[in-house]
Amino acid sequence: MLFQELGKLKRSMIMTSVIMMAAGILMLICPERYGRMLVAAAGYGLLILAAVMGFEFLSSKRVLINYVYLTVSLLIGVVGAAVLFYRNDVLRVLGLLFGIFLVLEGLNELFNTWKYARRAKRSGWWILILLSLFLIAAGVVILANPWWDTPGKLMRVIGAMLLVSSAVGIVHVIMIWPFKNM
């Protein structure tokens, strides 16, 4: 039973990374003139997700975790509405948040690699260290924002970094996973 749940967790983590890769590819291939439409679609998507989570709360038992999910759905709804109201500034804020996310993800994966893969004497643990440092550097570069000044360029940079960070995440899951037959 435990191994089945761990297998589901691994598949879920890899599938989330694949979906993020698809979003990165979409941001890379989207022409600049459709960038505003992509931002609007993201806003409407967040509102739909919030509505679905709210309806799930209505049909669920009234326990504490479901109230936490309701709170998260309300926050997602507020973020979706903010995306729709402030479409012009969303990409800059997204760049800032994504840069912070990359730095935090890189630090987390660096810690996990140092703690688990190195101590387990996994082969290639130093590659994971380099990939984690690359994520941290990419996050700092996005935060510094030295080369791109238009929303189209920023969208492409965020898409490329989303693609790379998802690939690094898949490599980390595969190399750090404690069980070989899952």
Side-chain angles (χ1 to χ4, degrees):
M1 174 103 169
L2 177 65
F3 289 114
Q4 291 173 345
E5 291 301 316
L6 286 173
K8 287 180 187 176
L9 178 66
K10 182 179 179 182
R11 284 190 299 275
S12 172
M13 292 169 75
I14 290 175
M15 204 57 212
T16 302
S17 291
V18 168
I19 290 170
M20 290 296 128
M21 283 180 151
I25 291 171
L26 181 67
M27 289 179 83
L28 281 173
I29 65 172
C30 181
E32 190 170 343
R33 66 178 181 257
Y34 296 121
R36 293 180 59 111
M37 187 172 61
L38 189 62
V39 169
Y44 287 123
L46 289 172
L47 286 176
I48 291 170
L49 177 65
V52 168
M53 289 175 73
F55 288 137
E56 284 179 1
F57 171 78
L58 292 175
S59 67
S60 68
K61 296 179 182 177
R62 301 299 191 261
V63 293
L64 180 62
I65 192 68
N66 289 333
Y67 284 102
V68 171
Y69 290 152
L70 177 65
T71 305
V72 169
S73 73
L74 291 174
L75 289 173
I76 290 172
V78 168
V79 169
V83 165
L84 291 175
F85 294 146
Y86 303 107
R87 290 183 194 176
N88 296 332
D89 299 325
V90 166
L91 211 51
R92 294 190 205 300
V93 172
L94 182 64
L96 176 71
L97 291 176
F98 191 67
I100 292 170
F101 171 74
L102 277 179
V103 169
L104 292 177
E105 181 184 6
L107 288 172
N108 182 41
E109 290 186 0
L110 183 67
F111 174 76
N112 287 337
T113 300
W114 191 259
K115 186 173 182 178
Y116 299 118
R118 184 186 65 86
R119 287 184 182 174
K121 296 183 179 24
R122 296 273 176 131
S123 61
W125 65 269
W126 56 274
I127 295 172
L128 296 177
I129 295 281
L130 291 176
L131 290 173
S132 300
L133 292 174
F134 174 74
L135 284 181
I136 294 169
V140 169
V141 167
I142 287 179
L143 287 174
N145 199 7
W147 297 291
W148 42 89
D149 52 354
T150 65
K153 290 179 184 176
L154 184 59
M155 187 171 69
R156 285 186 181 35
V157 168
I158 292 171
M161 288 301 134
L162 190 61
L163 188 64
V164 169
S165 71
S166 298
V168 168
I170 289 174
V171 170
H172 268 83
V173 167
I174 290 171
M175 289 185 75
I176 290 181
W177 197 255
F179 308 107
K180 291 294 182 186
N181 59 356
M182 292 176 123

